[in-house]
Amino acid sequence: MAVVIELLIPLAVVGLIGWGLWLWYRLRLARAEEAERMHEELNELRAYRRDTEARLQALETIATLGEGRIRVDYKDVEEPDDEARKRKD
C-alpha cells in the first residue's frame, strides 16, 4: 500500500503541474487572439473616423463657398407629384 501511495502522490503532483501549465498556455493564447481582434477593430474604427472626417471637411468646404458659387440646375430636379404631396399632408 505504501508503494502505491508513494507512486500516486508524485504522479498526481506532476499531473496538477502539467494541467496548470496547459491552462496558463490556453489563457495566453486566448489573450493574444483577443488582442489581435481588438487591434483589427481599432484599425477599422480609425479608417471610419478618417472617412467621416474627410466627408465633414468636404461639407465644410461646400458651406464656406457661399450661395453665389453653388449652382443648382433645376432642370434635373424632379417635380413632386400632387398625389405624393397630398399623402404627406
Side-chain angles (χ1 to χ4, degrees), residues 17-51:
I17 291 172
W19 184 60
L21 289 174
W22 181 79
L23 287 177
W24 175 76
Y25 170 75
R26 295 293 295 169
L27 179 63
R28 285 194 54 167
L29 186 64
R31 284 181 181 170
E33 289 174 354
E34 181 69 13
E36 183 179 343
R37 185 190 66 77
M38 290 175 70
H39 184 69
E40 290 174 1
E41 188 174 330
L42 180 63
N43 286 339
E44 290 175 5
L45 289 172
R46 285 179 178 162
Y48 178 76
R49 185 187 75 201
R50 283 191 300 268
D51 182 51

Side-chain angles (χ1 to χ4, degrees), residues 65-82:
L65 289 177
E67 293 181 15
R69 306 246 344 237
I70 299 175
R71 305 268 187 241
V72 177
D73 189 6
Y74 290 103
K75 292 184 283 186
D76 296 334
V77 177
E78 295 181 15
E79 294 281 332
D81 293 337
D82 289 337

